[in-house]
Amino acid sequence: MPLANLDLDLLRAFVTVAETGNMTSAGERLRRSQSAVSLQIKRLETCLELRLFDRSPRAVRLTAAGERLMSHARAMLALNDSIIDELAEPALEGTVRLGTPEDFATTHLPIVLAKFAESHPRVSLEVSCDLTLNLLDRFLGGEFDLVLVKREVTGGEGGVRVWREPLVWAASPRFDPMAAGALPLVVSPSPCVYRARAVGALNEAGRQWRIAYTCGSLAGSQAAVRAGLGVTVLPRDMVPDDLAAIDSPHELPDLQDTEIALLSANSLTVPAQRLSDHIIRTVERRI
């Protein structure tokens, strides 16, 4: 019996479904319909004669066979994409204007952009950091080709979801969240998704709070938290080593996740489209 040849398009659909957790979100990222993605998964399962996902009405989960396939599929796609980047468009050049939240730009994004720059050394990247509200305004004003924004998990601004952010309370190790009085908050100017998360959770829990410090700079906010001026909200894996994540719901209420979405201008240059595709496929997602 001849060996089957694995279709990279099917493998890309498989990896995307596994990362997003459902066919609809995978279709958004792959720019395909939900039914088309579902058909791709069925074709891959038929080719391998294996069931790769356990399906429910709202989500899908990898089977044991699917988990074994995942690392191989990612490796094959990474090799394919690397070859395309290196050989198909070695002379690609131009400028791409990217807007991003400051915290995301200082943690997960540098490695992603470095890989892109290595493959496309003649493409110039202009990266601007700002608050999400300002990023959206500037994007609508034509200042960016691509913009990463924080938003509610329910979406609302279109674009492609690329990152799921579990949020936690963060404070100085010396800070006592159970101290008497209104809880002092260190937040960004309103409107801010993290600020809304903090206030909403505290109101629902019946906990008194007050705005102790407002700053649009990530470095400024973290300096205030280090000084003990209050508690803030950060993605779990963006909490600096010298700050403490408060995980106990007995001290502060749980916070709902947010997400990062990538928005693209209506008409993209080839370099901007390549960067968009690169971000979508390479950001280490938790969706």
Side-chain angles (χ1 to χ4, degrees):
M1 179 179 178
L3 294 175
N5 292 317
L6 292 174
D7 187 320
L8 290 177
D9 284 340
L10 303 186
L11 289 178
R12 198 177 299 279
F14 163 73
V15 170
T16 306
V17 170
E19 290 175 337
T20 60
N22 63 76
M23 302 289 181
T24 300
S25 297
E28 292 175 0
R29 183 172 299 160
L30 295 169
R31 299 179 177 87
R32 294 178 179 268
S33 66
Q34 180 272 336
S35 59
V37 174
S38 180
L39 179 60
Q40 287 182 303
I41 298 303
K42 289 180 181 178
R43 287 174 56 195
L44 182 59
E45 290 179 326
T46 299
C47 175
L48 295 173
E49 298 183 350
L50 293 169
R51 183 168 55 85
L52 301 174
F53 291 103
D54 287 323
R55 296 166 173 81
S56 68
R58 292 188 176 183
V60 296
R61 292 185 178 181
L62 288 171
T63 62
E67 290 177 350
R68 292 198 303 272
L69 175 61
M70 178 60 72
S71 61
H72 299 298
R74 281 178 167 156
M76 291 179 68
L77 291 174
L79 178 59
N80 173 82
D81 296 343
S82 177
I83 292 172
I84 295 298
D85 286 342
E86 181 176 345
L87 299 181
E89 294 176 333
L92 187 66
E93 60 182 85
T95 299
V96 183
R97 303 166 302 165
L98 172 67
T100 176
E102 183 181 0
D103 52 2
F104 199 74
T106 57
T107 51
H108 305 290
L109 197 57
I111 294 176
V112 174
L113 297 183
K115 290 181 179 178
F116 180 83
E118 182 180 354
S119 299
H120 303 293
R122 298 173 67 177
V123 175
S124 175
L125 301 178
E126 295 182 358
V127 181
S128 299
C129 298
D130 209 333
L131 300 175
T132 287
L133 179 65
N134 296 335
L135 290 172
L136 285 171
D137 287 342
R138 295 171 65 185
F139 175 69
L140 294 174
E143 291 190 37
F144 299 121
D145 302 301
L146 306 168
V147 65
L148 291 159
V149 296
K150 299 174 185 178
R151 69 181 188 184
E152 303 289 346
V153 175
T154 53
E157 294 94 8
V160 179
R161 289 170 285 183
V162 297
W163 183 267
R164 184 73 170 260
E165 291 193 315
L167 301 180
V168 296
W169 301 95
S172 164
R174 305 181 304 277
F175 182 83
D176 180 8
M178 300 302 290
L183 183 72
L185 300 179
V186 175
V187 293
S188 294
S190 182
C192 166
V193 175
Y194 294 174
R195 178 176 179 147
R197 279 284 187 275
V199 171
L202 292 170
N203 286 343
E204 186 175 349
R207 178 73 184 270
Q208 291 186 331
W209 55 271
R210 63 182 178 86
I211 302 298
Y213 191 90
T214 303
C215 183
S217 161
L218 176 65
S221 294
Q222 291 185 358
V225 173
R226 290 188 184 95
L229 293 180
V231 62
T232 193
V233 172
L234 290 172
R236 179 181 297 279
D237 53 4
M238 295 185 193
V239 177
D241 292 339
D242 57 352
L243 296 181
I246 304 172
D247 292 319
S248 173
H250 301 294
E251 295 179 299
L252 292 174
D254 288 337
L255 296 161
Q256 295 181 356
D257 294 353
T258 61
E259 68 182 22
I260 295 285
L262 177 66
L263 308 183
S264 302
N266 291 330
S267 179
L268 291 180
T269 63
V270 174
Q273 185 61 62
R274 294 296 177 268
L275 179 58
S276 172
D277 294 341
H278 176 77
I279 290 173
I280 290 171
R281 72 175 183 245
T282 59
V283 170
E284 294 294 332
R285 295 171 291 269
R286 281 198 308 266
I287 298 181

